[in-house]
Amino acid sequence: EAGVTQSPTHLIKTRGQQATLRCSPISGHTSVYWYQQALGLGLQFLLWYDEGEERNRGNFPPRFSGRQFPNYSSELNVNALELEDSALYLCASSLGQGTYEQYFGPGTRLTVT
Amino acid sequence: AQSVTQLDSQVPVFEEAPVELRCNYSSSVSVYLFWYVQYPNQGLQLLLKYLSGSTLVKGINGFEAEFNKSQTSFHLRKPSVHISDTAEYFCAVSRAGGSYIPTFGRGTSLIVHP
């Protein structure tokens, strides 16, 4: 069974640009979660999508947004990039509401210069 | 809201020695608890979880953890570590019957020396 996949592996952008990160969940999983892992800060929850709807968002500004497609894959968009957005962005999937176990992808390393 | 404290940011240990990684949580309601491992340049992998039942939970790679409700702890242990156990370990807590979004600790870097 294929795991959670993310693309690209690495992304380099300049300040003010926009970044788009993609995630494909495990087959049969309907929930997708996005986390930011900045150096020394652990994992910070960004967004949760389930069945195509945004169910919850963390304490991040509106320039962090995303969506979930009918095939349950997801996209994270970060507008007006700032230097402090440099981090590893992790996507996780789960079977949906009622399940607590999350399966993580390898992440996208975003570097903002 | 719940919170998680991983008491050690780094734990150095020699190969074949036992290790304990400490995790304490704070919550006013019942919780579910998890330990994840992150190898270099990889995502997180679930090691073990406590949802209910026996307070001693066994996971993958020879790890186990014990849920102690009175001390609000969920320490991770392994009786004999290998070089390959060198990784970052994260403790996480979710509110039972509530939010599916866990709160993660800041991580403990386990460094196994030969």
Side-chain angles (χ1 to χ4, degrees):
Chain A
E1 178 185 274
V4 177
T5 59
Q6 293 186 244
S7 63
T9 305
H10 294 92
L11 191 55
I12 300 174
K13 295 285 186 178
T14 57
R15 194 168 48 184
Q17 286 188 316
Q18 179 199 35
T20 299
L21 289 66
R22 296 179 178 82
C23 171
S24 291
I26 292 172
S27 177
H29 286 193
T30 63
S31 274
V32 170
Y33 304 79
W34 287 96
Y35 295 90
Q36 182 193 67
Q37 186 179 20
L39 200 61
L41 292 181
L43 274 77
Q44 305 294 316
F45 166 69
L46 271 164
L47 291 158
W48 170 31
Y49 293 95
D50 182 67
E51 297 282 1
E53 301 284 333
E54 182 181 301
R55 301 295 182 182
N56 206 335
R57 69 178 289 129
N59 189 25
F60 281 84
R63 57 190 186 83
F64 287 85
S65 65
R67 53 180 170 166
Q68 186 177 35
F69 299 99
N71 66 354
Y72 302 115
S73 67
S74 177
E75 198 173 83
L76 173 69
N77 294 294
V78 188
N79 294 319
L81 284 165
E82 300 178 2
L83 295 177
E84 50 265 35
D85 295 334
S86 295
L88 181 68
Y89 288 83
L90 292 166
C91 169
S93 73
S94 75
L95 282 167
Q97 298 193 58
T99 60
Y100 290 82
E101 190 169 325
Q102 297 184 8
Y103 297 83
F104 283 80
T108 292
R109 173 74 61 185
L110 173 63
T111 302
V112 182
T113 62
Chain B
Q2 57 271 2
S3 65
V4 180
T5 302
Q6 291 185 242
L7 296 156
D8 307 294
S9 59
Q10 249 188 28
V11 173
V13 64
F14 287 106
E15 195 172 20
E16 297 184 9
V19 71
E20 178 180 83
L21 306 184
R22 298 180 292 169
C23 173
N24 284 88
Y25 69 92
S26 173
S27 177
S28 57
V29 298
S30 296
V31 295
Y32 297 145
L33 294 153
F34 307 83
W35 274 100
Y36 287 87
V37 60
Q38 185 179 33
Y39 298 105
N41 301 312
Q42 294 186 30
L44 275 68
Q45 179 183 7
L46 182 67
L47 270 179
L48 48 79
K49 62 187 176 187
Y50 171 79
L51 302 181
S52 65
S54 172
T55 57
L56 182 62
V57 180
K58 293 190 183 298
I60 62 172
N61 301 341
F63 283 94
E64 64 180 32
E66 186 157 17
F67 171 52
N68 188 320
K69 189 175 181 180
S70 62
Q71 296 188 4
T72 61
S73 68
F74 191 55
H75 300 334
L76 182 70
R77 301 185 181 100
K78 186 170 182 177
S80 175
V81 295
H82 303 289
I83 295 286
S84 59
D85 292 323
T86 295
E88 193 81 14
Y89 291 79
F90 292 93
C91 180
V93 60
S94 288
R95 184 163 57 97
S99 171
Y100 304 105
I101 301 157
T103 299
F104 286 86
R106 290 202 171 193
T108 296
S109 179
L110 175 63
I111 303 167
V112 182
H113 298 288

